Amino acid sequence: MKLYKLSLALFLGLGAMATTSCEDKLDVTNPNQQTTGTFGFNADDLEECVIAAYNHIRMEGSSARVGYTLDVTRGDEVWNSSQVWYMPFDDMDDPVTDEISMWPWREAYYTINVCNFILSRTTGDDASLSESMKRIKGQALFLRGYSYYTLAGYYQNPALITDYANYSSLDGLYGKNSTYDDVLDQVEKDFAEAMTLLPSRDAGGEWAKGRATCGAAAGYYARTLMLRHKYSDALTVLKDIMNKKYGSYKLMANYGDNFREGSAYENNDESLFEIQYLDYGSQGVDDEWTPVNTSPNATQGHAVESNFAPGRFGGWADLSASPWLYNLFKQERTKDGKLDPRLYWTIGTYESDWIGFENGNVAYKSEMTPNDTIVTNNNYGGLPIAKWTNFRTNLYDKVTTGLHCGINLRMMRYSDVLLRAAECENEVNGPTQQAIDWINQVRERASLKDLSLSDFDTKDKLFEQIANVERPKEFGCEYGRGYDLIRWGFFYDQGRLAQLKEHGTFRRSPYKAKEPVSYSLVGVDPELKSSYDTYVPGHEFLPIYQGLLNDNPNLTGNSANTNTDNSTDFFGRGWTVHPVVNLGK
């Protein structure tokens, strides 16, 4: 009643004003109908834009499911155990008519569009910006660079749009393809500028938790340089990170702390950048899939767990760890004669070594036994992936499928800095003791025996150790392996392609999931198959969706659309592929 009387009084008052002066007009901006002419001229408005940009790197098409797992399936550490969902991506022959392949594209350009708007409001000399505006601009640059890094890694030659004014006309809105190098030039530029604008995690304090910092920008800058074999430049940046120029980072004493949820573990000392999700029990109930969340009760978790988790515990049972990765872990024991503890958090198998270790032989609160083999898919078997799930955490006994997992996805960890620095050092000067020392820092956390320089007489041999032993065991079943395989040229060398086929061989059976498999028996043993059997040249990248090409007359397809072999371009740059080395000799 009071509100009604107040509204009536205001109405009568405005009416009285109108009778005394018909020429006067009340100019009021409707906060619910903002336009580019009224919005974005202060830090508060632009902070809202930054939040919107972060939101779309954590959607189903970016990280919450499809955008993350498409690269996981591209690697040799994972295979498609459901034999349905993700099948074309695992077989590396995705057709141009598959709309799913467009989802990362859509989310990336949403983020880019928002970032371009922010950057249109933060022009001029960076030194003249306030501290809050520097942080806003730095985050926009990082998120735009991050999005184009994703686009180049997935789609090879996407449209490069950096000026918000381009959206004012159809010619500008319908961008044409840019070259791989032009896109990565811009990515390097964005990350390099973000490094100068953003605070370190130390200086940022509570603000820095969950946000991009100069350390995150530096880490991704080094990654981008390595995509184009700029090893010397990348090594300089990686050394600066290790020397704390961009903040303090260190390896967590417990490897498993990188894969648990909760404030005690997430945004920890090892994390350069991670995607934020709400913890279990603190999110909404409505699963809202692509393209946007609109419900006030929308969930704020990811569905990577649903894709990884075994069917027995309610998971979708889509993706499994490769037998190659499992048996790679089994080949080397710790100094105490135990299994590598990283296996515990990577693959969900029963092992006698796990008795008394962490939560023991647990699978979603169920006690595993030697005779009770848990497979990913009830029909096709597979070794369950434990990462980005609560398989080992003892938090709950069954998966609530959908966008409900609250474990933050650590997109770059300090161990990656160390192993990348070792790789760059080996490329520039190797093999060297310095490269060995950086590798040994990562191995020491796993209680593995130190490597010795005397065991690596050539650059090729040390590269083999980094690429096919150290990195798979440290980052197995995580995002990024597909990017590595492309930059290393493994799709363009017959020896390396044969190696990928060997690594990617799996058994379609609910039995014998742990057994080693051999590509030589594919076609002989009907249960065996390799993810790379149907690889079509050019399909190391995702095709640009035909619907996008139909809608945009300026856009053309990439190598996956045309089945074009990229080896000529790779070798034409003067790049080489390390030959396969047998580390047993």
Side-chain angles (χ1 to χ4, degrees), residues 337-384:
K338 300 292 186 179
L339 286 173
D340 188 326
R342 294 173 294 185
L343 172 60
Y344 183 83
W345 291 100
T346 304
I347 304 177
T349 57
Y350 175 93
E351 309 290 342
S352 60
D353 284 26
W354 303 150
I355 298 173
F357 178 79
E358 297 283 353
N359 288 320
N361 279 297
V362 66
Y364 290 101
K365 287 193 173 183
S366 294
E367 187 67 26
M368 302 169 68
T369 68
N371 300 320
D372 183 22
T373 301
I374 293 175
V375 295
T376 305
N377 189 281
N378 295 336
N379 295 321
Y380 296 108
L383 298 164

Side-chain angles (χ1 to χ4, degrees), residues 27-43:
D27 187 11
V28 178
T29 300
N30 184 346
N32 298 314
Q33 292 182 344
Q34 297 278 22
T35 69
T36 54
T38 61
F39 181 81
F41 292 97
N42 58 65

Side-chain angles (χ1 to χ4, degrees), residues 152 156-158 160 176-185 573:
Q156 188 181 29
N157 56 353
L160 182 61
K176 62 180 181 180
N177 304 75
S178 296
T179 67
Y180 185 70
D181 286 310
D182 283 345
V183 175
L184 292 183
D185 280 344
R573 296 167 179 268

Side-chain angles (χ1 to χ4, degrees), residues 278-337:
L278 289 184
D279 292 344
Y280 175 69
S282 62
Q283 21 179 313
V285 295
D286 294 344
D287 266 334
E288 293 199 350
W289 303 100
T290 53
V292 293
N293 285 345
T294 57
S295 166
N297 297 314
T299 52
Q300 294 291 310
H302 64 74
V304 175
E305 176 176 43
S306 296
N307 283 131
F308 287 179
R312 184 191 296 190
F313 300 101
W316 291 331
D318 287 319
L319 302 177
S320 292
S322 70
W324 165 69
L325 179 62
Y326 174 75
N327 286 287
L328 179 67
F329 274 114
K330 301 280 282 191
Q331 289 172 12
E332 184 179 10
R333 292 272 173 170
T334 67
K335 297 173 185 177
D336 297 329

Side-chain angles (χ1 to χ4, degrees), residues 375-548:
V375 295
T376 305
N377 189 281
N378 295 336
N379 295 321
Y380 296 108
L383 298 164
I385 299 172
K387 278 183 179 173
W388 313 132
T389 78
N390 281 285
F391 193 101
R392 297 295 197 188
T393 64
N394 224 21
L395 186 62
Y396 44 75
D397 58 10
K398 186 177 182 180
V399 178
T400 302
T401 53
L403 300 166
H404 292 276
C405 185
I407 301 172
N408 284 1
L409 299 176
R410 282 70 155 180
M411 302 302 288
M412 187 169 190
R413 299 188 278 112
Y414 185 60
S415 56
D416 191 36
V417 173
L418 292 168
L419 292 183
R420 284 179 179 274
E423 182 185 341
C424 290
E425 171 69 15
N426 186 52
E427 294 295 335
V428 176
N429 304 308
T432 67
Q433 186 61 49
Q434 178 62 86
I436 295 292
D437 289 345
W438 284 327
I439 295 171
N440 283 339
Q441 285 189 49
V442 179
R443 290 174 61 83
E444 285 164 7
R445 174 171 60 184
S447 298
L448 297 178
K449 180 183 176 182
D450 283 352
L451 299 181
S452 297
L453 179 59
S454 59
D455 292 330
F456 299 94
D457 55 341
T458 67
K459 181 183 298 186
D460 292 333
K461 192 170 185 179
L462 185 54
F463 171 82
E464 192 76 36
Q465 181 74 26
I466 295 169
N468 282 323
V469 178
E470 304 303 335
R471 291 195 67 85
K473 290 201 288 187
E474 178 68 20
F475 306 112
C477 307
E478 295 180 47
Y479 180 94
R481 180 71 172 179
Y483 284 73
D484 288 339
L485 298 181
I486 291 174
R487 70 181 178 86
W488 290 332
F490 281 13
F491 294 101
Y492 315 132
D493 175 86
Q494 289 305 306
R496 287 298 183 184
L497 190 55
Q499 186 184 60
L500 288 180
K501 290 180 179 179
E502 189 70 44
H503 291 176
T505 301
F506 56 86
R507 181 177 294 280
R508 293 172 294 191
S509 169
Y511 311 104
K512 305 177 183 179
K514 292 183 179 180
E515 283 188 1
V517 290
S518 174
Y519 181 70
S520 64
L521 296 178
V522 173
V524 178
D525 186 335
E527 290 184 344
L528 295 182
K529 185 184 181 303
S530 175
S531 295
Y532 298 94
D533 271 351
T534 50
Y535 163 68
V536 178
H539 281 255
E540 62 273 22
F541 295 100
L542 296 176
I544 297 177
Y545 175 53
Q546 187 62 48
L548 293 171

Side-chain angles (χ1 to χ4, degrees), residues 3-219:
L3 181 61
Y4 171 79
K5 290 180 178 179
L6 178 60
S7 300
L8 181 61
L10 287 171
F11 175 76
L12 293 175
L14 291 174
M17 290 174 61
T19 59
T20 57
S21 177
C22 293
E23 300 299 322
D24 293 338
K25 294 181 180 179
L26 183 63
D27 187 11
V28 178
T29 300
N30 184 346
N32 298 314
Q33 292 182 344
Q34 297 278 22
T35 69
T36 54
T38 61
F39 181 81
F41 292 97
N42 58 65
D44 288 341
D45 284 355
L46 294 180
E47 184 64 32
E48 292 185 28
C49 295
V50 170
I51 293 170
Y54 276 115
N55 186 51
H56 268 262
I57 67 169
R58 56 190 297 282
M59 300 289 284
E60 181 191 9
S62 49
S63 295
R65 182 168 65 138
V66 170
Y68 189 94
T69 52
L70 290 190
D71 184 71
V72 175
T73 60
R74 181 164 60 173
D76 50 356
E77 305 159 340
V78 171
W79 66 280
N80 173 251
S81 56
S82 70
Q83 296 290 278
V84 181
W85 188 257
Y86 296 113
M87 199 69 196
F89 306 102
D90 191 42
D91 285 347
M92 304 200 71
D93 61 355
D94 187 50
V96 299
T97 53
D98 188 353
E99 185 181 356
I100 296 173
S101 66
M102 179 271 291
W103 293 359
W105 175 288
R106 177 192 60 214
E107 308 299 1
Y109 276 110
Y110 182 96
T111 304
I112 288 165
N113 295 344
V114 175
C115 291
N116 282 342
F117 175 76
I118 297 170
L119 295 170
S120 73
R121 296 289 200 254
T122 54
T123 57
D125 183 15
D126 287 348
S128 65
L129 296 173
S130 66
E131 286 304 308
S132 61
M133 291 298 278
K134 285 180 180 178
R135 293 185 180 192
I136 287 169
K137 183 174 184 178
Q139 290 174 95
L141 287 166
F142 175 85
L143 291 169
R144 185 173 71 178
Y146 176 89
S147 298
Y148 273 123
Y149 176 89
T150 301
L151 286 167
Y154 271 172
Y155 303 102
Q156 188 181 29
N157 56 353
L160 182 61
I161 304 173
T162 58
D163 188 350
Y164 189 75
N166 284 353
Y167 304 132
S168 63
S169 69
L170 284 180
D171 288 339
L173 187 62
Y174 289 117
K176 62 180 181 180
N177 304 75
S178 296
T179 67
Y180 185 70
D181 286 310
D182 283 345
V183 175
L184 292 183
D185 280 344
Q186 185 63 50
V187 173
E188 289 180 20
K189 182 179 178 182
D190 283 353
F191 285 144
E193 188 176 357
M195 289 160 61
T196 68
L197 290 168
L198 292 170
S200 68
R201 60 179 298 156
D202 307 328
E206 192 66 27
W207 175 92
K209 290 184 178 180
R211 293 179 182 266
T213 63
C214 60

Side-chain angles (χ1 to χ4, degrees), residues 254-289:
N254 187 327
Y255 179 76
D257 287 354
N258 294 304
F259 309 103
R260 309 181 216 247
E261 71 173 47
S263 59
Y265 310 108
E266 294 170 328
N267 302 302
N268 62 35
D269 289 340
E270 188 168 340
S271 178
L272 274 75
F273 186 64
E274 61 191 73
I275 310 295
Q276 309 294 306
Y277 293 101
L278 289 184
D279 292 344
Y280 175 69
S282 62
Q283 21 179 313
V285 295
D286 294 344
D287 266 334
E288 293 199 350
W289 303 100

